Structures are given as C-alpha cells and as structure tokens.
Amino acid sequence: MEQQDQSMKEGRLTLVLALATLIAAFGSSFQYGYNVAAVNSPALLMQQFYNETYYGRTGEFMEDFPLTLLFNNIFSIVPAILMGCSRVATSFELIIISRLLVGICAGVSSNVVPMYLGELAPKNLRGALGVVPQLFITVGILVAQIFGLRNLLANVDGWPILLGLTGVPAALQLLLLPFFPESPRYLLIQKKDEAAAKKALQTLRGWDSVDREVAEIRQEDEAEKAAGFISVLKLFRMRSLRWQLLSIIVLMGGQQLSGVNANYYYADQIYLSAGVPEEHVQYVTAGTGAVNVVMTFCAVFVVELLGRRLLLLLGFSICLIACCVLTAALALQDTVSWMPYISIVCVISYVIGHALGPSPIPALLITEIFLQSSRPSAFMVGGSVHWLSNFTVGLIFPFIQEGLGPYSFIVFAVICLLTTIYIFLIVPETKAKTFIEINQIFTKMNKVSEVYPEKEELKELPPVTSEQ
C-alpha cells in the first residue's frame, strides 16, 4: 500500500510541472503556430505594401516572380518589433529579415520543447505532456486565423499589429521560464551534478523522496558512458540505433508527406465549390482550425490510455481513407451535385485523423526511443526530415496538382498507406515504459546484445522493471 501511494505521488501533475509545460509550449510552440498562419489572411495587403514601397523607391512595380518568391518561400520567425514597425518605416525588408529569424526560432523550438518536456515528465505523464507542444501549435494557428479575420486585424491598418503580436508569448517565456527547473536528466548526465538533478526532481515532483527516479537516470547515465556524445554522423553509423533512426525518418517524413499542408491548401477551393460564399470562407477555415485544436486536446488525454502506436495507426488510417474518398469526390464534384459536401467531410476527417496521431506523436517518440546522449542528434535528424518534407510538399504540390488534378491526393494516400504498414510492423508501444526499457526493446530489434556493443560490461546491467 505504501509503495502504491509512493508511485501515485511520483506520477502526479504538480503545479510546477504544469506551469513549466504551459510556459515552454506557449512561448515557443504557440508562437510557431501563430507565425505559420499569421501571414495567410493579410497576404494580399502585404504584397500591395511590398509593391507600393518598391514603386516609391524605384518608380517601377515588382515583377510577379520575386514577389511570389518573397511571399511563399520565406516563412519563419520574427522579431515582432521589426514586423510591427515595418509599415511605419516603409521597409518590407524588415518583414523578410524578421520572418527569417522567426524560421530559425521555429526550427529550434520545434525540437527543444518536446525534448525538454519529455525529460521533465514522469513516465506516466510523458505522453500527455509530450503532446502539449503540438496542442499549442494548433492553438497558435487558430488564434492567428481569428485575429486574421478581415474585420479584425487583416486590414490595411491592422496587419502590422497582427504580425507584431508574436512577440507577446516570446517575452513571457523569456521572463518566466528561467524560474523553472532545468531537465534533471541534463543536469545529471550532461552536467554530472547529482545534487542539482535531485533538487530539480524534488521541485517538479513536489516531494523529497526521488531516489528511485535518480537511480533510473543514473542507470541511463551508465548505459551512455560507453558511447559518449553521439553526433549525427555517428548516429547513422551505429547498428544499435538503426531501427530507432529509421523509425523517426519514416514518421517525420510521413507526417509531412501525407499531405497535411496540401489538404489545407485545397480546403478553400473545396469550400467555395460547395457553395460557401467567398466572404465566409475565412470563418469556415477558422472552424477547421478549431476542430484541429479540439482533437489535439483530446490526444493529450488519450495518449496515455490508448498508447502511441494505436494513435499513429488510427490517425494515418483515417488520413488514408479521407484522401481516397476526397479523390473520388473531387473527380465527381462537377457531375454529382452533393459531392462537394463529401469533400468538406473528407477535409475535416483528415484534420481529425492527423491531429490524433501523425501531428503530435512523432516528436514525442524521438524523446522516448533515444537515450540522453543520442537524443539531441536524433531531434536534429527528425527536425531536418520534417522541414525538408514540408518544403518538398510546398515545392512540388502545385506541379502534382497541375499534372494530376483531382487525383493529386492518391499520392498522399499511398504515403499514408506505406507509413501505416511500417508502424504496424515495426514501431513498438512505449506507453508507461522507462527510457531504458524502451531501449531494450530496440536492442532486440537491432540484434545487438546490449545498448552499446562497445562496452561489454553493460551486459551486466540489471533490467529496469516498470512500476504499473
């Protein structure tokens, strides 16, 4: 009874842990989501500003090509002050520089925040807290869609404010996050400061008896000593991390190549073809964003109940079916009067499926299936695959759409199918397991006798048993 009571205390969500999670996710993930969507509504107004500014300097208007290039291929993160002042300073260069800086910030935060939260959380809350960054991304997108309504800030006077608001969450994080603990795993394994790690755990868990968790981290440290820091190059060479690395590449690639951005891109056309008035499409789009938030919020609560593997299988399967039906609906929408409504259902179904698994789970899995020394490099690989895949879809989808027309989504259906098959055959369940236990599952898959074959004495490490 005493041991059960101890386990319950160890696994509870304390105020410190909850606030650290919210501030980290709000300051980084929310800002990322907000910046992704903030430029969509005022796009034409910003292009007009670019053109007017350029004309005022040169007496000529911009050609279409550089204008489109500036707009569609430069998305990222921004010093909000520069963007907010761009119109006053009559300098569109401030927007471009700011968006580039925001992009760098987004790339860093999309990797660091899930890793930080995964290392802070007890194993029974790791899944739920690991999904929170994705939740805040969807909230950021929705807030940007709402503020971006034409009768709010997506107008001639309001768009600099719309862009500049991104500085609010960043400022709050800068002010508040230093008051919260560093990752205990980082303190013990990287910094070799057991006292600081123990103090951080006590603050996060809300009680003093953290010896069992310290022992688990120390065992992970022992398992890491043989390998030292694992660079990206070394990560690709290590047989003992082969299936972990391949799984992350498949999941991060599948997340973006499954057509999520293409689905959003096509959505406005689908709404218009279904008879939604052009001036009302912005409200329907915001409604779709609200569905995305609600389903990601649901994922926070069911990820520890249903597990990561089931959510991935369920999510990709829903996306697969939605892409197939959407293809048929788009092909028949000019001949069958009610087909555009089926298309709307498919778009919303796709959003639901992606929000349940493909969007939130891959980043969480990077934290879980890699140990401390290889985790940063794994996030670098996962983040690179994510952004390259995102860029690839943005680059080639117009050509796919031009060549295949309504059959464009067959390509994404095939990717969803292949990713689903891989998950079913390869990806194990990681729910309620310690990092060492998860690593031992992959050790068997990789057909190596221990975590790191360079160190023979690691064979003697006792296995860690789950406390259910």
Side-chain angles (χ1 to χ4, degrees), residues 159-288:
W159 69 260
I161 301 172
L162 176 66
L163 298 184
L165 284 175
T166 183
V168 174
L172 284 174
Q173 187 185 74
L174 189 64
L175 287 172
L176 298 177
L177 199 58
F179 294 100
F180 291 89
E182 180 57 270
S183 158
R185 278 181 160 74
Y186 172 78
L187 291 170
L188 182 55
I189 297 176
Q190 251 76 37
K191 292 289 190 179
K192 308 299 180 187
D193 190 341
E194 185 170 330
K198 197 167 185 178
K199 184 178 178 181
L201 276 172
Q202 289 169 341
T203 303
L204 289 165
R205 302 297 179 255
W207 70 325
D208 293 335
S209 182
V210 293
D211 292 339
R212 182 162 50 180
E213 206 165 349
V214 169
E216 179 204 319
I217 299 173
R218 196 184 296 117
Q219 187 179 28
E220 184 180 341
D221 184 27
E222 289 298 317
E224 300 280 72
K225 283 180 180 176
F229 173 74
I230 298 174
S231 65
V232 171
L233 188 61
K234 188 174 182 181
L235 190 64
F236 277 93
R237 291 175 176 172
M238 292 187 68
R239 182 184 169 190
S240 58
L241 296 174
R242 177 178 52 193
W243 282 110
Q244 292 97 310
L245 183 62
L246 183 59
S247 296
I248 289 308
I249 291 173
V250 169
L251 290 175
M252 290 305 245
Q255 178 194 69
Q256 294 301 310
L257 297 176
S258 59
V260 59
N261 292 326
N263 198 286
Y264 282 115
Y265 174 81
Y266 226 114
D268 285 2
Q269 297 179 41
I270 290 171
Y271 298 147
L272 289 170
S273 68
V276 177
E278 187 173 356
E279 64 273 16
H280 293 162
V281 166
Q282 58 178 338
Y283 300 108
V284 180
T285 301
T288 306

Side-chain angles (χ1 to χ4, degrees), residues 287-325:
T288 306
V291 171
N292 198 6
V293 171
V294 170
M295 296 315 300
T296 309
F297 185 74
C298 292
V300 172
F301 292 95
V302 301
V303 66
E304 293 297 352
L305 180 65
L306 300 180
R308 291 70 157 142
R309 188 171 183 270
L310 181 57
L311 286 183
L312 283 172
L313 289 171
L314 181 62
F316 274 109
S317 298
I318 292 173
C319 292
L320 167 62
I321 295 168
C323 284
C324 291
V325 178

